[in-house]
Amino acid sequence: METDIEAGKFGKIVSVTIEQHGDIIYSRNFDKENGNAPHDIRSAGKSLTALAVGIAIDEGKLESVDQKVWPLLGAPADDIRNDITIRDLLTMSSALDCNDGKKRSPGQEERMYRKKIWRTFALNLPLMDGYQRDEKGYGRWSYCTAGVFLLGQVIETVTGEKFDAFVQTRLFDPLAIKEIVWRTSKTGEIQSGGQIKMLGPDLAKIGRMVLDGGVWKESRIVSRTWIKQMLYPHRELSKFVHYGYLWWFTPIRAPQGFQSSWYMQGNGGNMVAVFRDYDAVIVVQAANYNKSHASRNAFTIVEASLSSLQRP
């Protein structure tokens, strides 16, 4: 694997970290340009926002995922978006006309980044024509970074803390994670929809905490109840790909057959995959942004890493 990475077979791979049974058994940085600097994991950072929402619910700052977002953020009683819930945004199921995969979508994330105030942009997005909920209460699935950004705004509103400060004290400090760089708007809004820069071993800590049901070194970080809700397959995107609360699920090839894995995923081939049967976390950081092969290469590296682990 190292030989292929160094030869450029997988494009620009920044680092690979493998953790099993609570110990880092492999960690190597391949980024000769930036060294061991925190790396932008893009939308893999959305999964951190899911954890933050769970912590806010655990603390009683939020009632539940059924709470409506726009009224919390000060929208008038007749706002057409007032039925959108926290669950809608966690599962990419809201009525917003927002699809990051379509450049002409009113809510496409690049449109938001050009604005001085992201909150105003996101709160005023139009609704999708013909939106309907299914028998489980979900609308059509549409990947929307602006909606996840608003979840950070919700947390700021109900806690009275900046989103980065809330995550630092509740999640990062207990895990001794210090080297973080958040992206912000021109007015200083924290991008809770991804694009956070972190180190591979620190991401492995996040994966371990999730794998251990919300506990880190015998300290409860987030409730086991929330971890179960977050890692439940709320949306079936295809036969083998599901979506929870801003976490992905798919079987991944291993020496003795496919293994179930929940994972954080971001543009460029960034991935934090947890494996219950292996009791392991595998982190791939990459900078193959907007490349068609990025995700496939990350999965290949994860599969190669699994082959080196002690089998369950």
Side-chain angles (χ1 to χ4, degrees), residues 191-213:
Q191 171 55 309
S192 53
Q195 301 187 49
I196 183 174
K197 294 181 179 180
M198 297 181 65
L199 298 176
D202 287 340
L203 289 166
K205 293 179 181 180
I206 298 292
R208 169 53 54 187
M209 184 273 294
V210 170
L211 195 57
D212 286 347

Side-chain angles (χ1 to χ4, degrees), residues 41 102 269 278 301 312:
I41 60 174
K102 296 182 178 180
Y278 272 84
I301 292 172

Side-chain angles (χ1 to χ4, degrees), residues 4-260:
D4 287 342
I5 290 174
E6 291 175 337
K9 182 176 179 179
F10 299 115
K12 189 173 183 179
I13 302 301
V14 172
S15 75
V16 177
T17 303
I18 307 172
E19 189 259 39
Q20 190 174 35
H21 310 317
D23 296 319
I24 299 278
I25 61 174
Y26 177 88
S27 184
R28 180 169 173 183
N29 186 281
F30 297 91
D31 190 350
K32 296 179 181 179
E33 295 179 13
N34 302 304
N36 195 33
H39 171 70
D40 186 352
I41 60 174
R42 298 295 173 93
S43 284
K46 289 179 170 66
S47 302
L48 301 174
T49 298
L51 289 167
V53 170
I55 293 170
I57 290 175
D58 290 343
E59 293 182 356
K61 303 293 176 57
L62 284 171
E63 295 174 5
S64 74
V65 294
D66 296 317
Q67 209 161 350
K68 295 181 178 180
V69 173
W70 265 250
L72 271 176
L73 297 179
D78 61 349
D79 194 298
I80 59 174
R81 293 154 284 253
N82 276 348
D83 286 337
I84 296 175
T85 66
I86 291 171
R87 188 196 308 272
D88 290 334
L89 300 183
L90 286 169
T91 58
M92 301 292 182
S93 303
S94 80
L96 294 176
D97 193 353
C98 177
N99 187 332
D100 291 345
K102 296 182 178 180
K103 292 184 178 180
R104 294 186 178 182
S105 171
Q108 207 272 345
E109 63 177 316
E110 294 300 329
R111 295 176 181 266
M112 183 174 77
Y113 301 145
R114 292 195 289 266
K115 301 296 183 180
K116 185 176 181 180
I117 303 176
W118 294 349
R119 175 171 170 145
T120 301
F121 170 87
L123 284 175
N124 287 287
L125 287 175
L127 299 184
M128 176 70 72
D129 291 337
Y131 178 84
Q132 291 183 332
R133 296 182 184 274
D134 61 19
E135 66 279 1
K136 295 181 180 180
Y138 297 114
R140 56 61 182 133
W141 194 83
S142 184
Y143 199 83
C144 178
T145 294
V148 184
F149 164 74
L150 284 179
L151 289 174
Q153 295 295 295
V154 166
I155 289 174
E156 289 191 0
T157 298
V158 300
T159 65
E161 301 178 51
K162 289 281 286 185
F163 182 77
D164 57 341
F166 180 86
V167 174
Q168 187 67 45
T169 57
R170 304 324 197 271
L171 181 60
F172 291 158
D173 283 347
L175 273 60
I177 297 174
K178 299 178 180 179
E179 294 190 64
I180 314 105
V181 180
W182 294 90
R183 180 175 180 178
T184 63
S185 70
K186 294 177 181 178
T187 55
E189 299 161 297
I190 304 299
Q191 171 55 309
S192 53
Q195 301 187 49
I196 183 174
K197 294 181 179 180
M198 297 181 65
L199 298 176
D202 287 340
L203 289 166
K205 293 179 181 180
I206 298 292
R208 169 53 54 187
M209 184 273 294
V210 170
L211 195 57
D212 286 347
V215 171
W216 173 257
K217 296 187 181 299
E218 300 183 354
S219 295
R220 172 66 60 186
I221 307 300
V222 60
S223 68
R224 182 175 294 274
T225 297
W226 179 256
I227 296 295
K228 288 182 177 180
Q229 291 180 24
M230 185 180 74
L231 301 186
Y232 181 84
H234 295 281
R235 307 307 311 271
E236 182 177 356
L237 307 185
S238 67
K239 186 176 181 180
F240 298 112
V241 180
H242 293 75
Y243 200 69
Y245 288 164
L246 305 178
W247 281 72
W248 299 80
F249 171 86
T250 194
I252 294 179
R253 191 187 305 275
Q256 71 274 35
F258 285 92
Q259 291 290 313
S260 298

